[in-house]
Amino acid sequence: MRFTSEQRLDHGVLEREFTLGEIPGILWTPESAAASASASPSAPAPAPLILLGHPPLGLGKMYPRLVARARQSAADGFATATIELPGSGDRPRWAAVEQARADLRRAMQAGEPVGDEIVDALILPLVDKAVPEWQAALDALLSLPEVCGPVGYSGGVISIGVRLAAVDPRIAAAVLFAGSFVPRAVFEEARQVTVPLHVLLQWDDEGNDRQAALDLFDAFGSEEKTLHANMGGHTGVPQFAGDAAAQFFTRHLNAAGSTR
């Protein structure tokens, strides 16, 4: 991991851009993570980490929403990090995935059902490549003295969050955003997810298959899982829903349970 820039945001939040091989990313740490855990300024108090998931629109376009989430998490005492997804931003495009996106747009504009073959071609290659990259980023992030576990995952693409929660034991809790297409194979993976879950669903999301979102929630194997459904479209998540998600992470990623 190589840091390429840094700046101080409001309330002492430190934002640092980094690269991990060809993968760009951003790390935000709260002021408390730079404060001394003892009398020595060289002994920072590490902050539990939340990985910020997002749709494959590019970090540049997603930055305003990501930094808002990072600031809120920092106020709650958490570090946050995100990475550029495969095929997004300045990363190389995939011809097959680009074709799947075109097929999806064409089906939706024609009012046709989106078939499993389009969903699989669009989502599964992204999940297969993105999850190992998230794990590599997590390896690097947890080696930093200012960051610690337990680790949470927050956001979408929901299939990425499902796979990551199913295969990486470092993920202790997850807030998942319903609203993206889910391959049938991911429903089977959801049964392997046992960490506490808080799922956000916008009831009137025009691009979301509501019943599929409900079926996925039912498939999760977690003993603790909460579905927080609100009226409104894809970007209309009310503030109080975000507050509930923050409280969820405070319960499950508290500093008292931190491990290196």
Side-chain angles (χ1 to χ4, degrees):
M1 172 180 283
R2 182 173 67 89
F3 289 107
T4 57
S5 70
E6 69 174 60
Q7 63 173 331
R8 284 282 178 185
L9 308 180
D10 297 340
H11 306 295
V13 178
L14 178 62
E15 177 185 281
R16 285 174 288 175
E17 295 184 355
F18 64 84
T19 57
L20 186 67
E22 65 173 16
I23 308 167
I26 310 173
L27 171 65
W28 294 272
T29 46
E31 189 172 22
S32 59
S36 176
S38 66
S40 170
S42 63
L49 176 66
I50 299 173
L51 303 177
L52 299 182
H54 54 89
L57 302 176
L59 286 183
K61 185 172 183 177
M62 291 302 303
Y63 176 81
R65 280 185 271 176
L66 289 166
V67 74
R69 290 162 61 191
R71 283 187 166 115
Q72 179 59 59
S73 295
D76 294 331
F78 300 118
T80 51
T82 193
I83 58 174
E84 187 75 86
L85 290 176
S88 298
D90 294 330
R91 297 190 65 184
R93 295 293 187 265
W94 296 346
V97 173
E98 291 294 312
Q99 182 60 54
R101 286 176 180 161
D103 292 342
L104 173 65
R105 287 192 296 269
R106 184 162 47 250
M108 294 184 70
Q109 289 170 358
E112 300 171 353
V114 178
D116 290 345
E117 65 282 357
I118 295 178
V119 174
D120 288 354
L122 181 67
I123 302 297
L124 290 179
L126 178 63
V127 173
D128 289 343
K129 187 169 178 61
V131 168
E133 292 182 350
W134 273 115
Q135 292 180 293
L138 190 50
D139 291 340
L141 290 162
L142 288 178
S143 71
L144 300 173
E146 62 269 36
V147 175
C148 67
V151 178
Y153 178 88
S154 174
V157 174
I158 196 170
S159 295
I160 293 175
V162 171
R163 172 78 61 82
L164 191 59
V167 303
D168 198 313
R170 295 172 294 184
I171 303 299
V175 171
L176 300 177
F177 296 1
S180 52
F181 293 99
V182 181
R184 293 187 182 276
V186 174
F187 284 81
E188 292 306 312
E189 295 183 45
R191 304 184 197 283
Q192 305 170 32
V193 175
T194 58
V195 300
L197 295 176
H198 184 98
V199 181
L200 296 173
L201 170 64
Q202 288 301 103
W203 202 251
D204 304 305
D205 187 343
E206 61 282 356
N208 183 37
D209 184 335
R210 183 195 302 163
Q211 188 58 54
L214 296 174
D215 292 343
L216 180 63
F217 179 80
D218 188 52
F220 285 122
S222 303
E223 291 186 6
E224 180 188 336
K225 56 181 180 179
T226 301
L227 180 65
H228 204 299
N230 292 281
M231 305 303 289
H234 187 72
T235 59
V237 179
Q239 180 60 48
F240 62 78
D243 293 342
Q247 292 166 7
F248 168 85
F249 277 135
T250 296
R251 289 198 306 275
H252 293 287
L253 305 181
N254 60 78
S258 299
T259 57
R260 287 296 297 169

